[in-house]
Amino acid sequence: MIFAFITYYTSSLLADCYRSGDQATGKRNYTYMDAVAAYLGRWQVWSCGIFQYVNLVGTAVGYTITASISAAAVHKANCFHKKGHAADCSQYDTMYMVVFGIVQIFFSQLPNFSDLSWLSILAAIMSFSYSSIAVGLSLARTISGSTGKTTLTGTEVGVDVDSAQKIWMALQALGNIAFAYSYSMILIEIQDTVKSPPAENKTMKKATLLGVSTTTAFYMLAGCLGYAAFGNAAPGNILTGFGFYEPYWLIDFANVCIVVHLVGAYQVFSQPIFAAVETELASRWPNSKFINREHPLVAGRFNVNMLRLTWRTVFVVVSTVLAIVMPFFNDILGFLGAIGFWPLTVYYPVEMYIRQRRIQKFSTRWLALETLSFLCFLVSLASAVASIEGVTESLKHYVPFKTKS
């Protein structure tokens, strides 16, 4: 709930930064980095760019890992149904990551961010579907009474984990929650596709309130009911960790929904990277046919650009290889959430708001905003350290290209 409130509040501040000056007629800032440049100056643009694009690349890697685990879970659900719950139905994830990457190569050829509206709607429907299934299955298991051991403080030191593991896992969990709210990095880019009037910031604030409220409701239901169902033995992903085996067809459908959702989500988070690179190259070499020429295909309904074809394909291939090499689900998501939450969700929106509203230094409002930013920095730092520790532990037992789920 705290993360939800902070995210909504700072996202509202960020939405006001889409235009410099008047919110209806002021100069547009088409990207997050444009907004930072307009309010905070060029020297902070570089650090913002590093945080934003490292997070976007990392999100693409994380989504590839998640999608492959869900795709493998479909096969495993059918295997358990046929052979029994004690059967060895583990699957290598690499093949599923490669297939996911091939699919993304095709979708990455969509030329514009605005072309993703239908894909975003489909992804939202899929997200609603699998979340509802997870909540429904958890509720059914809780009502049936066959639940795991629950305690007020979660996993018990000396029983489930030792004291060090307890601390690391709690901090990693904060990183996972932060990742669940990590859409601020593309908020300005999304706002740039909003039609006006009314002013874009008003529409974006309404969308943010609706989005944060809906997702938080599902997060709370899935988290609380999932824990009620499985207790301290709750898996990191209740749809792929096989706390549920039946009805297997419903598990299959939920995991297919996850994969379809992530196909769309991958593109939403990758398109800003594509646009930034292609815009920069086009400005440097405006006369290059390789960079700027569009080749019409399919009776002129679809265009192919050679730069788009090669560079976006390379990006997808690299992100897929990174996912294959580092397939640590919770640790990777926790790390991405940790390094992206403070700078992109809190620091830059707060600093731009202070500059925009000319809030006096050391005033009550200034102190409150800076205190919020500092506390979020401490949480992000602790979560990042914990996630690195988790990856380090996972690497001790890791064999490249041999990861099974």
Side-chain angles (χ1 to χ4, degrees):
M1 295 299 293
I2 292 172
F3 271 91
F5 174 78
I6 292 173
T7 301
Y8 171 69
Y9 177 68
T10 56
S11 294
S12 297
L13 303 184
L14 185 57
D16 286 338
C17 297
Y18 173 66
R19 289 182 182 269
S20 302
D22 187 87
Q23 293 299 322
T25 61
K27 176 182 173 293
R28 294 173 185 267
N29 297 306
Y30 300 107
T31 67
Y32 199 127
M33 291 176 65
D34 287 344
V36 172
Y39 287 100
L40 301 180
R42 286 286 170 185
W43 73 272
Q44 292 219 42
V45 172
W46 291 103
S47 60
C48 173
I50 291 171
F51 281 119
Q52 184 181 15
Y53 291 111
V54 165
N55 255 271
L56 290 171
V57 172
T59 300
V61 174
Y63 284 173
T64 303
I65 296 170
T66 309
S68 68
I69 293 173
S70 292
V74 174
H75 182 277
K76 289 166 65 178
N78 289 278
C79 174
F80 285 130
H81 178 71
K82 292 177 181 178
K83 299 181 180 179
H85 299 173
D88 180 11
C89 294
S90 56
Q91 289 283 303
Y92 287 108
D93 294 334
T94 302
M95 178 186 71
Y96 297 102
M97 293 185 191
V98 171
V99 172
F100 184 81
I102 292 172
V103 172
Q104 292 301 341
I105 287 174
F106 285 99
F107 278 108
S108 67
Q109 296 310 308
L110 291 171
N112 299 312
F113 199 51
S114 57
D115 291 340
L116 295 175
S117 57
W118 66 272
L119 197 58
S120 298
I121 292 171
L122 179 61
I125 294 171
M126 295 297 102
S127 178
F128 182 82
S129 298
Y130 71 72
S131 299
S132 299
I133 291 170
V135 169
L137 289 172
S138 297
L139 179 60
R141 184 183 177 112
T142 303
I143 292 172
S144 72
S146 55
T147 58
K149 180 183 179 183
T150 59
T151 53
L152 182 62
T153 56
T155 51
E156 293 184 288
V157 175
V159 178
D160 305 301
V161 293
D162 60 37
S163 56
Q165 288 175 319
K166 175 73 173 180
I167 294 172
W168 289 129
M169 291 171 70
L171 294 176
Q172 288 167 18
L174 290 178
N176 278 283
I177 296 171
F179 181 80
Y181 287 107
S182 62
Y183 70 94
S184 295
M185 69 182 89
I186 56 169
L187 186 145
I188 296 290
E189 285 80 353
I190 293 174
Q191 191 167 340
D192 189 48
T193 68
V194 174
K195 295 179 181 179
S196 62
E200 298 89 351
N201 65 323
K202 293 182 178 179
T203 303
M204 201 64 202
K205 287 179 181 179
K206 290 179 181 178
T208 298
L209 178 60
L210 178 62
V212 170
S213 300
T214 303
T215 53
T216 301
F218 274 106
Y219 293 157
M220 293 297 292
L221 285 170
C224 294
L225 289 174
Y227 184 69
F230 300 106
N232 296 340
N237 184 329
I238 58 177
L239 289 171
T240 61
F242 283 90
F244 305 116
Y245 291 95
E246 299 294 341
Y248 76 98
W249 56 267
L250 190 58
I251 305 298
D252 286 351
F253 177 72
N255 280 297
V256 168
C257 287
I258 293 175
V259 175
V260 174
H261 170 215
L262 293 179
V263 167
Y266 182 104
Q267 285 301 313
V268 170
F269 282 86
S270 298
Q271 286 287 335
I273 306 174
F274 299 156
V277 172
E278 290 157 19
T279 301
E280 178 65 21
L281 293 177
S283 65
R284 291 194 179 192
W285 293 284
N287 299 319
S288 170
K289 292 182 180 179
F290 178 82
I291 294 174
N292 297 296
R293 186 174 179 181
E294 297 285 341
H295 303 272
L297 292 178
V298 194
R301 294 181 180 179
F302 185 77
N303 294 325
V304 172
N305 173 277
M306 296 310 296
L307 170 65
R308 193 161 62 236
L309 180 63
T310 53
W311 133 248
R312 295 188 181 191
T313 299
V314 169
F315 174 85
V316 174
V317 170
V318 170
S319 66
T320 303
V321 171
L322 288 174
I324 293 171
V325 173
M326 296 285 285
F328 311 125
F329 175 69
N330 279 63
D331 295 327
I332 293 296
L333 296 190
F335 181 71
L336 291 173
I339 65 171
F341 179 73
W342 174 69
L344 298 173
T345 302
V346 182
Y347 173 74
Y348 290 115
V350 164
E351 294 302 318
M352 286 191 287
Y353 178 76
I354 289 174
R355 190 69 57 88
Q356 181 190 58
R357 299 302 172 92
R358 296 182 174 86
I359 298 175
Q360 188 175 358
K361 214 172 196 180
F362 300 113
S363 64
T364 303
R365 176 180 271 187
W366 184 91
L367 288 172
L369 289 168
E370 293 294 355
T371 300
L372 171 66
S373 180
F374 180 68
L375 292 176
C376 289
F377 167 73
L378 294 180
V379 172
S380 290
L381 181 63
S383 298
V385 172
S387 296
I388 292 171
E389 193 277 340
V391 171
T392 303
E393 284 296 314
S394 299
L395 285 172
K396 293 179 181 178
H397 314 288
Y398 170 62
V399 180
F401 307 104
K402 296 292 184 181
T403 302
K404 286 186 174 183
S405 63

